[in-house]
Amino acid sequence: PTVITGAMALIFFKAVTLFLATRVPEWMEPNRLPVVDAIRLALLLSGGGEFAFVVLALAEKLEVLPTDLGSLLTAIVLITMAVTPFLGELAETTSDFFERSVQEKPITTTIKNGGISQETQVAGDAIVVCGYGEIGQSCLRVLYKEYSSAKELVEHPEGSRILPKLVAFNSSPSVEGSVSLPSDDAVVLFGDGSNPAVLTSSGIHEPTAIFISYEEMERVSSATARLRASFPKTPIYVRAPTRLEALSLKDLGATEVAIESDELPRSASTLFWLNNPWPASAKLLRDDVGQERLKHAAAAASGVPLDILNTLFEVYHCIDQDMSGQISADEIARLISKSTSGIHSDDEVEQMVSWVKETVVTQIDILGFCRLYANSSPMIKQAILDARLL
């Protein structure tokens, strides 16, 4: 009983100590671990370590520690080391449970505006704007306009939302401790948006997209690298004054780079519709306003002229028979196989079908279809355009 009690006490007190060590004030350590990672670390490292044997052996040799007590402590350390795999499982289970509970409970921020307290929820999948200078404010205005239009176009059950909130981070000391609500769908919080810990502590665990609007290139590069490391699947949009710096930002993980200071707000409307979390077609393609928005977004994303886009939209309608807003490589390949325009042999058909299946690895929407057309060979382009005549 003494050994078991000692092992449990060692695990408990060491876990508590490690967890508290990660909870230092944020002004002392801005990059401190999020709570979920702190729980995982504390439990995983709560067992004894090999260095304990060195210390205990030296203490016994110097007769600082009685032999019986040294043997007891050695046994306790051995037991805690033996249960390390179980501690790893416990750490994973506990941190996952805590993370799910945090995500299921919306983060509530109290805002004081003219002496009146009100509350707002920050969505876990928000669209984030890092920086609230001139460019950041322009981005937020454009995104809010697109957000409002999308809500009107897409039907969704009452009480649910299909698009995330818009959250901008302002690091100006003049707004410290305050929160601004430009609209019901947009929130401006105080904090360094380039720090992933700030986003997660605000309740944003899986941002839909991130717009980095800082003016200093060093800060833009740093923010791109840090945010890409923490959110590997999130589209990150940035701006750069030159194409050389744009290439550098691409290497750091930027999804799209707008050239010149006015390009990010101007492109925000298009980027809003790209890499989005909802099917971009089903409802929008049947709506005249939504179709025009998608055509302009597709033109900006693929570089295809609008007159050709009209044909591509017609072809896409023919392929998407179930009106799901998504088509597969096999459906595109079947369409190409039926076309005889400019095709002289079965080998050419096989080459085109093979290229499509290698390029389209998942289902794509209308924007992806337009980008596929833009990157295809002249023969495939001709086959796709002539498919509407079949």
Side-chain angles (χ1 to χ4, degrees), residues 272-299:
F272 178 86
W273 295 100
L274 302 178
N275 302 298
N276 49 63
W278 68 93
S281 40
K283 165 72 175 175
L284 301 181
L285 282 173
R286 295 195 296 269
D287 185 281
D288 292 338
V289 177
Q291 201 169 115
E292 285 303 312
R293 288 184 180 276
L294 287 176
K295 284 181 181 179
H296 285 286

Side-chain angles (χ1 to χ4, degrees), residues 125-129 164 206-211 234-237 271-272 274-275:
D125 57 347
I127 294 177
V128 176
V129 177
E206 296 180 2
T208 297
I210 299 175
F211 290 78
T234 300
I236 297 178
Y237 305 119
L271 297 174
F272 178 86
L274 302 178
N275 302 298

Side-chain angles (χ1 to χ4, degrees), residues 64-87:
V64 176
L65 196 67
T67 303
D68 293 341
L69 182 57
S71 300
L72 177 63
L73 294 177
T74 300
I76 290 174
V77 173
L78 279 172
I79 291 176
T80 60
M81 291 178 65
V83 299
T84 298
F86 300 102
L87 292 175

